[in-house]
Amino acid sequence: MKQEQNQSTEISKLLVEMDQLFDGFGAWLSGQMDAESGGFYYAASSRMLGGAPDIESTAQALNILERCDWLDALSADMKRRCIRFFQSKQEASSGYFYDDNPLMREDEVMVARAISYSLNALRKLGGQLLHALPYEAQQAPSYMSSPEDYHTWLKSVELTNSWRGCDRLSTSNVYVKQVEPENRRVEFAQTAFDFFANKQDPLTGLWGEGSYYVRISGTFKLHIFYDHFNVPLPREERIYQSILYTLRHEEAVDMCYIRNPIHLLSYMKLPIPAEDLQEIIAITLSNMKRLLRADGGFSRELAHSPTAPNVAQVKEGEYYPGMPKAVHIGGGEVEGDMNAGTQALLIRSVCYQLAGKKAPPLTKGPMFNVLENN
């Protein structure tokens, strides 16, 4: 009992130390807002390069605001502009949401994810869709013609890099969720679950190839598909052991590598011994410190914030066939970026949740009145 109390005390100290990493976070976030468009920039260098706010960064900023209970701090006018931002990104003829950069249309993962991001953002803000979504507009990918075609496509997806391959598999849930009627939607979903079960490594509980962090990240991507249909991941105990091994033996060079194991632990809801939890949070905190930047934000990668996060899954020395062209949204500086910021905040939230504690509110910061007054 005393040992457990000591571990609980140590976990509390670690969480307080993690809170301190966010002292300048509110000020950093407010600096990414573009009041005129209602969008948010990926990083400070995005604005300086003359780039525009993008769908993912704006949706991620709203996720941050919601998680911090800061969403109400947005003025009514700013909310209206933000709603218009997402509405303006939807193409009337196809129902897809696109950024200004034409290369974004060539990345199937970005295209699918933009639908989810935009729908969730409009829901948060009380906005409405102006046009039908792709499935209803008969503009969904051709593999959605039938469960058989879907299965053929699933089999065609390379898993030589688990993270990228599983991301492609997982984002297809965007289209599966649009299928009507419900019994046909269930048929598509079951096709995916049967395929995933056949591809899972029974020893590690992971999918595909690559380092442990790459495979943990691929498994995280697939959990999103399972989560959308309220289905538990198979072989959760195996996944848990793989997470512990990864945290102990591999270097986390990407904020995603820090977030993905923590998020999986939260989803699986396995009982975590206090000794394990203390170790998990201590490693997580140590890794996060390496990505904290002087501007108050966090970088996605150790060296810098990647200029094109859409291709940052495949690191130097790794390979995945048919990678899309890089969609550059930042300048590659040693700076905070929205992709890393939203993940860092989620990590904090989940660590508190795993510890059975309520996360205290973060300080908005002196610059936050920019959000409230626009």
Side-chain angles (χ1 to χ4, degrees), residues 47-60:
R47 189 192 301 268
M48 296 171 69
L49 288 171
D54 63 280
I55 292 170
E56 289 201 10
S57 297
T58 304
Q60 288 166 350

Side-chain angles (χ1 to χ4, degrees), residues 205-225:
L206 309 179
W207 279 266
E209 301 174 33
S211 69
Y212 265 87
Y213 265 126
V214 168
R215 284 180 285 158
I216 289 288
S217 297
T219 302
F220 163 76
K221 288 296 183 182
L222 278 192
H223 113 274
I224 297 172
F225 196 112

Side-chain angles (χ1 to χ4, degrees), residues 12 98 184 238 282:
S12 295
Y98 294 121
R184 185 168 171 80
R238 294 286 186 175

Side-chain angles (χ1 to χ4, degrees), residues 17 19 53 65 71 81 93 110 124 128 154 180 214 223 226 247 254 306:
E17 192 174 349
D19 288 344
L65 291 169
L71 195 57
R81 281 181 251 177
S93 59
M110 286 190 77
K124 286 179 178 67
Q128 302 297 319
L154 290 169
E180 294 290 350
V214 168
H223 113 274
Y226 281 88
L247 292 173
D254 189 307

Side-chain angles (χ1 to χ4, degrees), residues 6-7 10-11 14 273-283:
N6 290 339
Q7 286 166 340
E10 290 304 312
I11 287 172
L14 290 169
E275 183 178 2
D276 283 1
L277 184 59
Q278 181 181 342
E279 181 185 13
I280 289 166
I281 295 177
I283 293 172

Side-chain angles (χ1 to χ4, degrees), residues 353-374:
Q353 177 190 327
L354 292 174
K357 302 176 185 294
K358 182 177 175 59
L362 293 174
T363 303
K364 292 179 182 178
M367 286 179 60
F368 210 84
N369 60 358
V370 173
L371 293 174
E372 298 172 309
N373 297 329
N374 280 277

Side-chain angles (χ1 to χ4, degrees), residues 2-3 15 39 80 114 121 163 183 187 197 261 281 300 316 338 343 347 372:
K2 185 175 181 180
Q3 183 180 3
L15 292 173
R80 284 191 293 269
W163 194 5
N183 64 334
E187 190 176 356
I281 295 177
R300 166 76 185 272
E316 186 176 353
M338 198 66 72
Q343 296 191 71
I347 291 166
E372 298 172 309

Side-chain angles (χ1 to χ4, degrees), residues 101-244:
N101 189 330
L103 292 178
M104 181 261 192
R105 296 171 178 247
E106 299 178 20
D107 186 336
E108 63 180 319
V109 170
M110 286 190 77
V111 169
R113 201 156 51 201
I115 297 172
S116 293
Y117 271 131
S118 300
L119 289 177
N120 287 333
L122 288 171
R123 175 187 55 79
K124 286 179 178 67
L125 297 165
Q128 302 297 319
L129 279 174
L130 298 184
H131 313 290
L133 291 172
Y135 190 84
E136 185 182 349
Q138 299 185 337
Q139 294 293 321
S142 58
Y143 62 71
M144 292 301 298
S145 298
S146 68
E148 293 74 23
D149 288 340
Y150 183 43
H151 184 251
T152 298
W153 176 78
L154 290 169
K155 291 192 298 181
S156 75
V157 175
E158 287 273 1
L159 293 176
T160 47
N161 180 290
S162 174
W163 194 5
R164 180 66 186 183
C166 289
D167 201 5
R168 295 180 63 200
L169 294 175
S170 183
T171 51
S172 67
N173 85 82
V174 171
Y175 307 112
V176 174
K177 287 190 300 180
Q178 297 175 39
V179 172
E180 294 290 350
E182 183 181 0
N183 64 334
R184 185 168 171 80
R185 180 165 65 249
V186 169
E187 190 176 356
F188 272 90
Q190 193 58 53
T191 297
F193 291 132
D194 290 344
F195 176 80
F196 298 158
N198 187 52
K199 288 291 184 180
Q200 187 182 27
D201 182 348
L203 295 179
T204 64
L206 309 179
W207 279 266
E209 301 174 33
S211 69
Y212 265 87
Y213 265 126
V214 168
R215 284 180 285 158
I216 289 288
S217 297
T219 302
F220 163 76
K221 288 296 183 182
L222 278 192
H223 113 274
I224 297 172
F225 196 112
Y226 281 88
D227 188 27
H228 278 301
F229 294 95
N230 297 311
V231 174
L233 281 167
R235 299 186 173 99
E236 288 186 336
E237 184 58 42
R238 294 286 186 175
I239 296 171
Y240 177 74
Q241 294 302 324
S242 292
I243 288 173
L244 288 181

